[in-house]
Amino acid sequence: MKNHYDLLNGSSIEDVDEYEEIELTASEKKRMKKRLKREIKPARKKARPLIAAAVLLLAVTPVMIQNETVWASAVRISQQLGQQIELLMNKPEGSLSSYKKTVNETATDQGIQVKVNELMLDDGQVLLGLTISADEIRRTALGLNRDAPIRPGELRVKIGNMSFFDSASSIREEPIKNKDGSWDYLYALKLTQADTNGDGKIDVEGYNVLDHIDPNKNYQISAQFTSLEFEKNPGQTKSGNYRDSYGEIKGNWTVHTSVNGSKIIADTKVYPLNKEIPINEKGIEGVLSIKEVRVSPVSIKMHYTFTASKGSIRGGMDVGVDIKDQNGRNLSESGSGGGTDTVIEMDGEYRNDKDVTMLRFIPYVSDHEKDWSKDLTSDAFNLKVNDN
């Protein structure tokens, strides 16, 4: 895959003077960089082997990590609120108020509290602003030290009679814990795989929730975490294996509320593209197809496929699309999908920052095993968006 860490290079910060400067110790800087990441969990598809699981990226916050003292100050200011979805999405505070729902409900199991602060329905996904905390007895039983967080695990969402699970999810974690020892998260679950008949099995894939709900109706929604995760004390890890370094807590943390999709539906635009781009690079020939782009106030989403007529797209080869804005900033965030050795199907997600007015689509071919990548700039094209 391409090096998507380049997306950080175009970020900026406004109104620096508003933040108090706080010096960080070396250990704080190290911990911050380690935790400032977006953890992507791909959907568990059973019908065919996955060839492209997900992209692990640094989270893009309203400020830049290069200026770590200012960044830390902004993070601590956000913790005074502890529930602002916008602050973890490069959005102005309160800018998504008309789309999100204040919940402030807590579910407790086994001495661990999961509080859903805010919930927001977006195009193809649901976003939860979470706070997770545990009492000292439970933390001691798990072998957690004071700075170790408990993270959200598997989530099942039910909207009306539709259940969503086994879909790709992502987590953004505040790098500094709250004063009470709790941790704040932004959890996003793709609403693309649905159980429509209540038998507990996924029977619809590629589902788009905004296309199937009535904007004039309020829907009951439940968010159920069936597991939480934690990093084990190094002394408890014998093998040194990455997977063995994490533990899982099974349980039931369920919160109920209601949602109305009228506002997000009205402000989500679909742009038909119907682009077919011939690819002939490094022994790979085929067609890259992009049907449409969906732009919501929160995100930009694009489903694309690549069908190879010659060569194999296994073994590190990748064909995909990057999106940049009118200033050349890379908006790419994550992707999940699957396929065979001749077909790729990918769902790409991209940031919709407040000042994006144009999207530039740049196809690419890469070989991550050989650390080689080529932008196919002759096939790039532009699209105006966010015009009122």
Side-chain angles (χ1 to χ4, degrees):
M1 298 289 289
K2 294 191 71 180
N3 182 6
H4 290 80
Y5 292 95
D6 289 342
L7 69 90
L8 289 175
N9 295 334
S11 300
S12 63
I13 176 173
E14 300 177 356
D15 301 326
V16 175
D17 294 337
E18 295 182 4
Y19 300 117
E20 175 189 358
E21 194 168 80
I22 300 175
E23 293 295 338
L24 300 180
T25 66
S27 61
E28 284 177 322
K29 292 178 182 180
K30 182 177 180 181
R31 185 168 67 250
M32 181 181 297
K33 290 179 180 179
K34 179 180 179 181
R35 290 176 178 163
L36 180 60
K37 65 177 182 292
R38 183 174 188 179
E39 179 182 307
I40 306 294
K41 294 183 179 180
R44 293 198 294 263
K45 293 199 175 185
K46 305 175 180 65
R48 58 192 175 197
L50 285 176
I51 61 171
V55 182
L56 184 64
L57 305 177
L58 292 177
V60 180
T61 62
V63 288
M64 275 301 296
I65 196 169
Q66 279 88 339
N67 191 338
E68 288 166 332
T69 57
V70 174
W71 186 91
S73 178
V75 167
R76 292 172 187 179
I77 289 172
S78 76
Q79 287 178 331
Q80 295 173 10
L81 302 172
Q83 59 179 22
Q84 289 289 337
I85 286 177
E86 294 93 330
L87 293 178
L88 280 171
M89 299 189 69
N90 198 26
K91 298 280 187 181
E93 181 184 332
S95 61
L96 300 176
S97 296
S98 60
Y99 305 102
K100 62 186 182 179
K101 173 77 176 289
T102 300
V103 181
N104 287 336
E105 295 290 339
T106 301
T108 302
D109 191 4
Q110 304 173 63
I112 303 172
Q113 296 80 41
V114 176
K115 182 182 179 184
V116 177
N117 303 305
E118 296 180 334
L119 181 146
M120 184 168 62
L121 191 63
D122 182 31
D123 183 32
Q125 64 181 346
V126 64
L127 306 171
L128 303 174
L130 305 172
T131 300
I132 298 180
S133 57
D135 58 38
E136 287 301 319
I137 295 177
R138 185 56 178 162
R139 295 183 68 86
T140 301
L142 292 172
L144 294 176
N145 60 39
R146 295 184 62 185
D147 294 325
I150 298 176
R151 300 183 176 94
E154 294 299 322
L155 174 64
R156 299 171 68 95
V157 169
K158 187 174 183 179
I159 303 176
N161 296 321
M162 302 283 289
S163 296
F164 302 88
F165 51 92
D166 279 357
S167 296
S169 62
S170 64
I171 304 169
R172 293 180 181 181
E173 175 185 319
E174 283 280 15
I176 302 175
K177 67 178 180 179
N178 297 316
K179 291 181 179 180
D180 62 1
S182 62
W183 293 87
D184 293 329
Y185 301 92
L186 176 62
Y187 193 107
L189 179 72
K190 301 288 186 184
L191 302 178
T192 53
Q193 300 194 149
D195 170 16
T196 61
N197 57 17
D199 65 356
K201 299 178 181 179
I202 296 296
D203 50 60
V204 175
E205 296 189 13
Y207 190 84
N208 194 298
V209 66
L210 294 193
D211 292 343
H212 293 84
I213 63 175
D214 184 347
N216 299 313
K217 182 178 177 180
N218 291 327
Y219 290 84
Q220 294 301 308
I221 180 171
S222 66
Q224 177 190 25
F225 285 96
T226 59
S227 69
L228 303 176
E229 300 172 354
F230 64 95
E231 188 172 356
K232 293 180 180 178
N233 191 307
Q236 297 176 317
T237 306
K238 298 179 181 179
S239 67
N241 196 319
Y242 177 83
R243 289 182 177 272
D244 292 339
S245 300
Y246 290 85
E248 184 179 53
I249 309 165
K250 293 289 188 179
N252 181 3
W253 296 266
T254 304
V255 168
H256 302 271
T257 186
S258 63
V259 293
N260 181 290
S262 59
K263 180 65 174 173
I264 194 72
I265 290 173
D267 293 345
T268 296
K269 298 181 180 180
V270 179
Y271 299 88
L273 295 178
N274 298 316
K275 291 282 186 178
E276 292 196 347
I277 301 170
I279 303 294
N280 185 358
E281 294 287 340
K282 288 287 185 177
I284 297 294
E285 296 183 20
V287 176
L288 177 66
S289 300
I290 310 171
K291 181 182 178 181
E292 65 183 22
V293 170
R294 303 175 66 97
V295 180
S296 82
V298 174
S299 58
I300 299 164
K301 294 183 176 64
M302 175 177 60
H303 178 82
Y304 60 87
T305 62
F306 174 71
T307 304
S309 57
K310 179 180 177 181
S312 173
I313 45 181
R314 289 189 183 275
M317 291 297 295
D318 180 37
V319 178
V321 184
D322 275 341
I323 296 182
K324 296 185 178 182
D325 70 0
Q326 68 278 2
N327 298 315
R329 293 181 299 173
N330 195 329
L331 303 178
S332 301
E333 279 208 318
S334 65
S336 62
T340 67
D341 59 350
T342 58
V343 178
I344 293 175
E345 290 189 35
M346 290 292 295
D347 290 297
E349 182 171 334
Y350 311 83
R351 303 194 326 275
N352 185 9
D353 291 346
K354 61 178 180 178
D355 56 348
V356 172
T357 59
M358 187 195 75
L359 303 178
R360 181 165 180 78
F361 300 81
I362 307 173
Y364 67 82
V365 178
S366 66
D367 186 337
H368 66 259
E369 290 188 355
K370 297 181 181 179
D371 195 24
W372 173 88
S373 181
K374 180 180 179 180
D375 287 339
L376 307 180
T377 54
S378 61
D379 293 306
F381 60 96
N382 300 334
L383 174 69
K384 289 185 177 181
V385 296
N386 292 336
D387 49 341
N388 298 320

